[in-house]
Amino acid sequence: MQRATEKITALYCRLSVEDMKDDKNGGKGDVSNSIQNQKMILLQYAKEHRFPNPTFFVDDGYSGTNYDRPGFQAMLTEIEAGNVAVCCTKDLSRLGRNSSLTGLYINFTFPKYGVRYIAINDHFDTIDPNSTDNDVAGIKNWFNEFFAKDTSRKIRAVQKAKGERGVPLTTNVPFGYLKDPNDKTRWIVDEAAAQVVKRIFRLCMEGRGPMQIAKLLQEEKVLNPTAYKRRAGIKTPSPEASDPYHWNTNTVVHILERREYTGCTVNFKTYTNSIWDKKQRDTPLEKQAVFYNTHPAIIEQEVFDKVQEIRQQRHRRTKTGKSSLFSGMVYCADCGAKMRYCTTSYFEKRQDHFVCANYRSNTGSCSAHFIRAVVLEELVWMHMKAVIFYVTRYEKHFRAAMEYRLRLSSEEKNCASIKRLEQAQRRMGELDRLFIRIYEDNVAGKITDERFSMMSQSYEDEQTQLKAEIQTLQQDIEVQERQIENLEQFIQRVHKYADLQ
């Protein structure tokens, strides 16, 4: 029977995803590093050296670049509790690939708690500090870290090349799509899920918020994305909730904000600082790589853009739970303030109305301007019918008149934008030359280091402002050039809804 005071021998095994995908073994993994092989080596070594109470601590699929691993942390807890006499690993790399932290555990933590550490294949044993093998342990740890960095560098290079070619980097296909069985890098529409996605966007266009949409889908017993994928046999990393019909508000928001539904591939949406810091950070939109028309669109671009505009307004819900299509979009004609949507559950819908916010705030800066919601809807509908009638019957005249106005406006704005753009680009070139000149003057001793630092900082600040201005000007020019294209889309949309009731 084991004595209560007898300590254990900790046999630690670790296998990372990179080890399992070692190219040297045809992509089938490094057999010598398998968990089973490590266990066999460690247990045999413990028996040969008569180490008592061998206990395994295993991390399967965990990187050695950090020590936030469940198996290692469980072993560390036992060590700090004074329950471990000996710790064994197959080699130093199994303990970790961060040379600084690995050295800290070997040289400080283990000795502090009286733990003897052994790396079998590296002939490393802390019981013999004068061994020549122990002297080169620091070098081996450095090589182990270098291997991790080199592997990470290669993986990042492959991912970067794939991402820049427009190959989707995400392994989890968005809800509404499936991987093409003939080409895993392409997506096809999953019609059943796509109908749910379309409905979510349609409900948002009607003025419903994510919480209202989630509640409605749950009431109608619509399977959430995780439950739907699991029932369809599609792999998903998300754990399934106890209620397959429960929709999280964040899930609805994620669907409404996902640009891939317009038919484009978006790569490099997140990044990590280094192999030591695995925290995913959002990449700024302007630095993300977008490839258009890479797969069938579920949501039209104009619908997606309108939904983003509605989402940014984010008006408050009324206490009655009612909402209006025009909430957040109505302004007072006199003072310019937003008009608040007011409703009550005691009267019919005809009593719902918009009232000037400045009047409601009792500032006295505006009078009681208001309009009933049904009147506003009727006015907008009358205007829509008038436009549809005119465009469908006098399309040729409408097109000619609009093209003339757009071209005139575009030419005026583009001339000014192009002129300013050329000036900004010339100034950027001048600043580059000025920087080289002051650098040479500083090296030659013509200007002091302090003066050089001040002038270079001034030039860099100006260049930063110019870069932002150039980007804005280029976007303005592109918008002006797309006006004719937008006109064609508008005319096509009018024909599509010519018989709208």
Side-chain angles (χ1 to χ4, degrees):
M1 185 174 178
Q2 180 184 334
R3 296 191 304 273
T5 57
E6 198 168 21
K7 295 185 178 183
I8 65 174
T9 300
L11 307 180
Y12 180 70
C13 311
R14 183 187 64 80
L15 187 69
S16 69
V17 176
E18 288 74 19
D19 293 321
M20 291 186 282
K21 294 181 179 179
D22 192 344
D23 292 334
K24 294 180 180 178
N25 292 282
K28 296 181 181 179
D30 191 341
V31 177
S32 66
N33 276 334
S34 68
I35 294 296
Q36 183 179 0
N37 184 71
Q38 291 182 56
K39 283 185 174 181
M40 182 182 65
I41 293 172
L42 294 172
L43 190 58
Q44 182 179 352
Y45 187 88
K47 287 181 178 179
E48 288 176 354
H49 292 77
R50 299 180 182 279
F51 290 145
N53 306 321
T55 305
F56 285 108
F57 296 89
V58 180
D59 284 316
D60 195 355
Y62 286 85
S63 171
T65 56
N66 68 74
Y67 282 87
D68 188 17
R69 318 172 213 142
F72 181 84
Q73 291 300 321
M75 181 180 72
L76 189 61
T77 300
E78 293 293 331
I79 289 174
E80 292 174 345
N83 299 330
V84 180
V86 180
C87 173
C88 290
T89 60
K90 174 176 168 284
D91 52 49
L92 288 164
S93 69
R94 295 306 92 198
L95 186 64
R97 292 189 182 276
N98 184 319
S99 62
S100 299
L101 288 177
T102 302
L104 181 67
Y105 281 112
I106 293 174
N107 299 316
F108 179 76
T109 305
F110 292 166
K112 178 182 178 182
Y113 294 99
V115 177
R116 175 184 175 185
Y117 172 66
I118 301 170
I120 299 171
N121 288 357
D122 287 325
H123 308 290
F124 180 86
D125 190 341
T126 55
I127 201 171
D128 185 10
N130 297 321
S131 169
T132 55
D133 291 311
N134 285 19
D135 292 339
V136 298
I139 298 174
K140 288 183 178 179
N141 284 333
W142 181 87
F143 272 110
N144 290 333
E145 179 177 316
F146 173 79
F147 175 83
K149 288 181 177 179
D150 188 53
T151 302
S152 175
R153 195 159 37 238
K154 290 175 180 177
I155 292 172
R156 285 171 183 262
V158 170
Q159 291 294 90
K160 185 173 184 291
K162 287 171 59 179
E164 290 175 346
R165 292 200 309 270
V167 178
L169 296 182
T170 178
T171 55
N172 302 307
V173 180
F175 178 64
Y177 288 104
L178 297 169
K179 288 186 178 180
D180 189 336
N182 300 320
D183 185 357
K184 299 299 183 181
T185 64
R186 299 187 66 83
W187 300 345
I188 57 176
V189 176
D190 181 352
E191 292 298 339
Q195 292 303 317
V196 178
V197 173
K198 290 178 180 178
R199 180 136 190 261
I200 290 172
F201 273 84
R202 188 165 57 250
L203 290 169
C204 184
M205 289 281 284
E206 292 173 359
R208 304 209 184 197
M211 187 179 295
Q212 292 172 298
I213 295 172
K215 185 178 180 181
L216 180 63
L217 294 174
Q218 185 168 349
E219 290 174 351
E220 296 180 355
K221 300 292 184 183
V222 178
L223 287 172
N224 61 48
T226 301
Y228 176 85
K229 288 184 177 182
R230 289 189 180 274
R231 280 159 177 70
I234 303 171
K235 290 183 179 180
T236 174
S238 304
E240 187 171 358
S242 56
D243 182 4
Y245 305 110
H246 173 72
W247 279 77
N248 191 293
T249 303
N250 290 333
T251 302
V252 176
V253 171
H254 183 65
I255 289 174
L256 291 172
E257 294 179 350
R258 191 143 193 181
R259 287 186 287 174
E260 285 90 336
Y261 288 122
T262 63
C264 66
T265 295
V266 185
N267 287 332
F268 312 119
K269 292 195 287 187
T270 60
Y271 70 97
T272 55
N273 280 332
S274 68
I275 62 173
W276 316 124
D277 182 4
K278 300 295 184 181
K279 182 180 178 181
Q280 294 283 335
R281 293 171 170 82
D282 292 332
T283 304
L285 292 177
E286 63 272 12
K287 292 186 178 180
Q288 297 178 13
V290 183
F291 302 86
Y292 298 95
N293 303 318
T294 57
H295 51 266
I298 294 177
I299 303 299
E300 295 178 359
Q301 183 67 52
E302 58 190 353
V303 174
F304 182 84
D305 291 340
K306 188 62 183 176
V307 164
Q308 305 319 303
E309 184 181 333
I310 293 172
R311 292 274 302 123
Q312 288 176 359
Q313 291 168 351
R314 294 188 181 182
H315 50 271
R316 295 179 180 177
R317 295 174 59 191
T318 61
K319 293 181 180 180
T320 60
K322 294 182 182 180
S323 62
S324 170
L325 180 66
F326 303 109
S327 293
M329 301 168 65
V330 187
Y331 295 84
C332 177
D334 286 350
C335 69
K338 274 191 177 182
M339 299 187 73
R340 295 178 180 174
Y341 180 57
C342 303
T343 180
T344 176
S345 58
Y346 299 108
F347 299 98
E348 296 180 1
K349 185 181 177 182
R350 297 192 65 85
Q351 298 300 321
D352 299 345
H353 61 279
F354 290 88
V355 65
C356 178
N358 278 341
Y359 170 74
R360 285 284 304 275
S361 62
N362 297 320
T363 60
S365 59
C366 195
S367 57
H369 294 150
F370 83 99
I371 183 171
R372 290 202 303 274
V374 290
V375 174
L376 178 60
E377 291 173 9
E378 289 171 1
L379 289 172
V380 173
W381 176 229
M382 286 173 57
H383 183 70
M384 287 177 64
K385 286 195 293 185
V387 172
I388 291 172
F389 175 84
Y390 179 79
V391 174
T392 53
R393 284 160 181 75
Y394 306 104
E395 179 183 337
K396 187 176 180 180
H397 180 267
F398 175 79
R399 186 192 300 273
M402 288 302 298
E403 285 180 354
Y404 173 76
R405 291 181 61 184
L406 289 173
R407 284 201 178 96
L408 187 63
S409 173
S410 177
E411 287 174 1
E412 292 176 352
K413 291 181 179 179
N414 274 0
C415 284
S417 297
I418 291 172
K419 184 177 180 180
R420 177 54 192 155
L421 179 62
E422 291 174 347
Q423 292 173 347
Q425 290 172 336
R426 280 198 301 271
R427 180 57 180 168
M428 285 285 289
E430 291 174 2
L431 289 171
D432 287 334
R433 290 189 292 273
L434 287 170
F435 185 84
I436 294 172
R437 187 181 302 168
I438 65 169
Y439 174 77
E440 292 174 345
D441 289 345
N442 176 250
V443 172
K446 294 180 180 180
I447 61 174
T448 63
D449 291 342
E450 291 79 7
R451 185 70 174 172
F452 170 76
S453 177
M454 182 190 70
M455 294 176 69
S456 61
Q457 185 62 52
S458 175
Y459 291 156
E460 286 178 5
D461 291 343
E462 186 178 353
Q463 279 191 326
T464 301
Q465 294 175 358
L466 286 171
K467 285 178 182 177
E469 184 180 3
I470 287 172
Q471 185 177 3
T472 302
L473 289 168
Q474 289 173 336
Q475 291 174 350
D476 290 343
I477 292 170
E478 290 175 3
V479 168
Q480 293 300 321
E481 291 175 347
R482 286 200 302 265
Q483 289 298 320
I484 300 298
E485 180 184 341
N486 293 340
L487 173 62
E488 291 299 326
Q489 292 177 355
F490 175 75
I491 293 174
Q492 291 174 12
R493 200 175 309 126
V494 167
H495 286 298
K496 181 179 179 181
Y497 299 109
D499 297 325
L500 190 65
Q501 298 297 320

